[in-house]
Amino acid sequence: MAPTTHAHEIASACRLENVRYAIRDLACVADEVIQQGHKVLPLNVGDPLNFDFQTPPHIIEAVYKAMRDGKNGYAPSPGIPQALEAIRAEAARKGITTVRDVFVTSGVSETVDLCLTALLNDGEDILTPCPDYPLYSAVLCKLGMRLNAYDLNEEDGWQPELADIERKLTPRTRGIVLINPNNPTGSLCTRQMLEHIAELARRHNLIVFSDEIYDKLILEDTAHIAFASVAPDVPCITFGGMSKNYLVPGWRIGWGIVSGESTGVKAYTEGVHRLLRARLCANHPEQYSIQPALEGPQDHLVEVKRKLRSRRDLTQHWCEATPRVSCVVPRGAFYAYPRIEIPESDEVFVKELIRKKHVMVVHGSGFGQKPGTQHFRIVFLPDEQTLTKAYAGIAEFIGERYGD
């Protein structure tokens, strides 16, 4: 006799109910439009290689050589020695003087996951910015931790709102996340703000996670300031990587730089290394690109920043000239986060924009925003002609749907 079978639904874990990734969750709407025969203008994903940017040839050659030379097995869990040495030298160039450890990860996404997992116990939390890159809230939801978001102040160039941070601190708060330059707003923290955050961290015994993945893509005539250079005594993990600065997001190479007083970070760093060993290693041959990238020619950055400044300016001018739209000028990375005055949600706005004008941006509610406000994130990586066409479509949509 054939065995009796019963179909039972296998449910996902309840803690995943709040996991969202707005940047890619819109893909199903775009797919509808594409299936109808339309081409969608993508201003939603921050991948420079989708547009007119190219990976520096010397770092491609370094990886190719590593593969030819047989570097295709497992790497040491923390990373290969020459990569770790180059990251330490990069930290010194950033003015970080109390480096205690460095390690290589599969993109900064894994750095975030490992570092939060190694820190948080049940019932504890960390402060994350609002708006923020949605990976942070996704990892916290995966860990079953509550979200504790502090506001960025749109009226102050999207700087962290210190009074709100003070209000959100609890006896169980373990750390604070800075994204600098910020995704999605393109803002930069001032030195004074970094000093204020450092003082808060000292007073409340917090570790700082400083996400600086866009640190070489500064669009102003100013240098990026690393948090750990301002506060060498404060426990800090500085997140960096190859994806954006060196135009290789698909290689998935990131890293963490541990700094602060040695006794303050020792036990925590050992916990991070337990997780590094448990997941074996980051991509091996791609790690051979780190040293030539950080220590070799930086010529590509001149042209990358020239293009980004021009496209940022075009974007800002459009925001200023378009009814119902306003925007804080982005100062780093390649994102703008315009505010839009509309009588419905920004999620409805972006979905209908895809359907009616075939332009894809991301709704602000996918990153977080103050109640009563609506925003959308623009990726201004495409060339000026493509951006001009996209912005004309958005302006037309706003006029048709909401009027002037």
Side-chain angles (χ1 to χ4, degrees), residues 50 76 274 282:
N50 286 341
R274 290 178 69 183

Side-chain angles (χ1 to χ4, degrees), residues 105 107-117 135-136 139 211 239:
T105 55
V108 169
S109 299
E110 189 186 40
T111 325
V112 171
D113 198 340
L114 290 170
C115 289
L116 299 191
T117 301
L135 170 70
Y136 289 91
V139 170
D211 186 337
F239 301 157

Side-chain angles (χ1 to χ4, degrees), residues 166-302:
E166 294 270 20
R167 283 192 295 269
K168 301 291 176 58
L169 282 165
T170 76
R172 307 216 68 184
T173 301
R174 299 287 309 281
I176 182 168
V177 173
L178 293 177
I179 305 176
N180 181 40
N182 182 264
N183 177 5
T185 68
S187 63
L188 282 177
C189 279
T190 64
R191 175 177 288 275
Q192 183 180 37
M193 180 55 65
L194 296 177
E195 289 170 348
H196 286 315
I197 299 293
E199 187 51 40
L200 274 170
R202 291 185 189 101
R203 212 162 56 225
H204 297 279
N205 194 31
L206 304 178
I207 185 170
V208 175
F209 298 110
S210 190
D211 186 337
E212 302 179 9
I213 186 68
Y214 299 96
D215 64 345
K216 296 184 189 297
L217 302 181
I218 307 304
L219 307 181
E220 304 291 333
D221 292 328
T222 184
H224 178 265
I225 303 170
F227 173 83
S229 71
V230 171
D233 60 308
V234 172
C236 178
I237 313 286
T238 301
F239 301 157
M242 297 282 293
S243 293
K244 312 300 184 179
N245 294 334
Y246 296 97
L247 308 174
V248 286
W251 287 5
R252 310 312 301 134
I253 291 293
W255 54 76
I257 301 168
V258 183
S259 60
E261 295 292 345
S262 179
T263 54
V265 297
K266 186 174 186 294
Y268 172 65
T269 304
E270 289 172 354
V272 171
H273 275 272
R274 290 178 69 183
L275 292 174
L276 289 168
R277 292 191 293 272
R279 61 68 155 130
L280 299 182
C281 66
N283 295 338
H284 188 183
E286 286 83 353
Q287 292 186 47
Y288 287 88
S289 71
I290 295 174
Q291 187 173 47
L294 295 180
E295 298 179 357
Q298 306 294 305
D299 304 0
H300 73 286
L301 287 170
V302 176

